[in-house]
Amino acid sequence: PASLVTSAPRLDAAVERSLQPEVVYYSEKKPLANVKGFERRRLAPALRSNATAADLVAILKSAAAATAWQAQAAAAEACPVREWVYFSASNSSRTAQHVRTRLDVDALVRLVGGSAGHAGGETVHSENVWLGGGGVTAFNHYDASHNAFCQLHGRKTFLLTSAITGDALLPFPYLHPHFRRTQLPPRTSLGGGSDGATAVELQAGDVLLLAPFVFHHVTALSPISLSYNVWAHDEETLRVQRLVGRAGRSLGLLPLPEAPRSGDGFVP
């Protein structure tokens, strides 16, 4: 973060803000995104694109400084509304390119490429930078790619759930804008059963390798958290995605369902 502030690169994307700490994946391309009751619930951006990294870090530091006071106010039931902010950008952004100059990204690509079965030759991959404040949570979800997640500053905790038992967490269906996210948080205790979530804490310098379809619920534990990840796509997964994509586009031609009603037993 200090390096970002010193060079003050412009942020290529707007910074998200929310009244809840959970950052929820949402695809506006899914058919159900156009149905009343499934709309994206978010505030206006905390910072518009082209703000500086210094602007974002200043907000995060301000939120961290207010934490103790908010805890006291909450005890007195006088806590004001708090907002959480979060920024992410792909490797094509100037912000991500600045971060990757401080990393051996090629080593991460080789690492995750080996996991994806690309021991030799070119690895099909994508990269992202993540910057957010303490308490910000990426709600329980899975990715369809091999993931090398590198923690650069601060701490994060991952709650990992096997894809085999993930159905119990009620993942949203393919046509839903929250596809790949679960309706329920991870189960951290199930009477000592093997289907509970495994907690992994990352500190600066740690790298976590995640296999495809492993559910993960991620929370920043430090006032400022900076991370970088590389996704690698193996040929088997790419084939499945292409098949599912074609099927999904066909399903998308069907008439849209009615808006959900209270008591339907479905969480929009």
Side-chain angles (χ1 to χ4, degrees), residues 27 29 40 77 85 89 102 124 130 141 161 193 200-201 259:
S27 174
K29 297 179 181 179
R40 186 171 191 176
E77 297 185 355
V85 295
R102 272 83 177 157
V124 180
W130 314 89
H141 66 286
T161 304
V200 177
E201 182 177 322

Side-chain angles (χ1 to χ4, degrees), residues 10 19 56 61 68 73 106 121 126 154 156 208 214 228 258 264 268:
R10 294 284 174 174
L19 296 179
L56 174 56
K61 288 184 176 179
D106 290 339
S126 57
K156 274 187 175 178
L208 176 65
V214 172
Y228 202 92
E258 297 179 359
D264 282 349

Side-chain angles (χ1 to χ4, degrees), residues 32-104:
L32 286 178
N34 300 314
V35 177
K36 185 177 181 180
F38 293 92
E39 304 95 334
R40 186 171 191 176
R41 299 163 187 163
R42 65 176 182 178
L43 300 174
L47 290 173
R48 297 186 181 278
S49 57
N50 289 325
T52 66
D55 296 331
L56 174 56
V57 172
I59 288 180
L60 296 176
K61 288 184 176 179
S62 175
T67 299
W69 179 85
Q70 287 176 341
Q72 295 175 0
E77 297 185 355
C79 184
V81 174
R82 177 180 173 181
E83 294 179 354
W84 280 262
V85 295
Y86 194 74
F87 172 80
S88 64
S90 67
N91 59 309
S92 61
S93 72
R94 293 186 300 272
T95 309
Q97 290 173 5
H98 172 81
V99 174
R100 79 191 309 275
T101 60
R102 272 83 177 157
L103 291 172
D104 187 350

Side-chain angles (χ1 to χ4, degrees), residues 15-251:
V15 177
E16 298 284 343
R17 68 173 181 166
S18 173
L19 296 179
Q20 300 294 328
E22 292 88 3
V23 175
V24 178
Y25 172 80
Y26 186 98
S27 174
E28 296 178 351
K29 297 179 181 179
K30 296 297 184 181
L32 286 178
N34 300 314
V35 177
K36 185 177 181 180
F38 293 92
E39 304 95 334
R40 186 171 191 176
R41 299 163 187 163
R42 65 176 182 178
L43 300 174
L47 290 173
R48 297 186 181 278
S49 57
N50 289 325
T52 66
D55 296 331
L56 174 56
V57 172
I59 288 180
L60 296 176
K61 288 184 176 179
S62 175
T67 299
W69 179 85
Q70 287 176 341
Q72 295 175 0
E77 297 185 355
C79 184
V81 174
R82 177 180 173 181
E83 294 179 354
W84 280 262
V85 295
Y86 194 74
F87 172 80
S88 64
S90 67
N91 59 309
S92 61
S93 72
R94 293 186 300 272
T95 309
Q97 290 173 5
H98 172 81
V99 174
R100 79 191 309 275
T101 60
R102 272 83 177 157
L103 291 172
D104 187 350
V105 174
D106 290 339
L108 286 177
V109 172
R110 290 194 299 271
L111 184 66
V112 74
S115 298
H118 295 288
E122 184 177 355
T123 300
V124 180
H125 73 281
S126 57
E127 306 166 26
N128 289 275
V129 62
W130 314 89
L131 181 61
V136 170
T137 298
F139 198 86
N140 203 29
H141 66 286
Y142 70 85
D143 300 306
S145 305
H146 295 264
N147 186 1
F149 192 94
C150 182
Q151 186 67 17
L152 302 178
H153 179 88
R155 298 181 297 124
K156 274 187 175 178
T157 184
F158 281 68
L159 296 178
L160 308 177
T161 304
S162 167
I164 297 176
T165 57
D167 281 346
L169 302 177
L170 303 180
F172 285 99
Y174 181 82
L175 296 182
H176 198 283
H178 293 327
F179 173 61
R180 297 194 294 108
R181 198 205 99 171
T182 67
Q183 299 185 44
L184 300 176
R187 300 181 179 184
T188 55
S189 177
L190 291 174
S194 59
D195 51 353
T198 299
V200 177
E201 182 177 322
L202 299 186
Q203 301 186 22
D206 288 341
V207 177
L208 176 65
L209 282 178
L210 282 174
F213 307 110
V214 172
F215 289 89
H216 45 289
H217 187 89
V218 188
T219 303
L221 301 178
S222 53
I224 300 178
S225 173
L226 177 64
S227 314
Y228 202 92
N229 88 295
V230 175
W231 279 306
H233 318 291
D234 61 85
E235 186 55 38
E236 290 79 7
T237 301
L238 289 174
R239 281 199 294 267
V240 171
Q241 287 180 319
R242 285 193 289 266
L243 289 172
V244 171
R246 284 197 292 269
R249 284 191 292 272
S250 298
L251 290 171

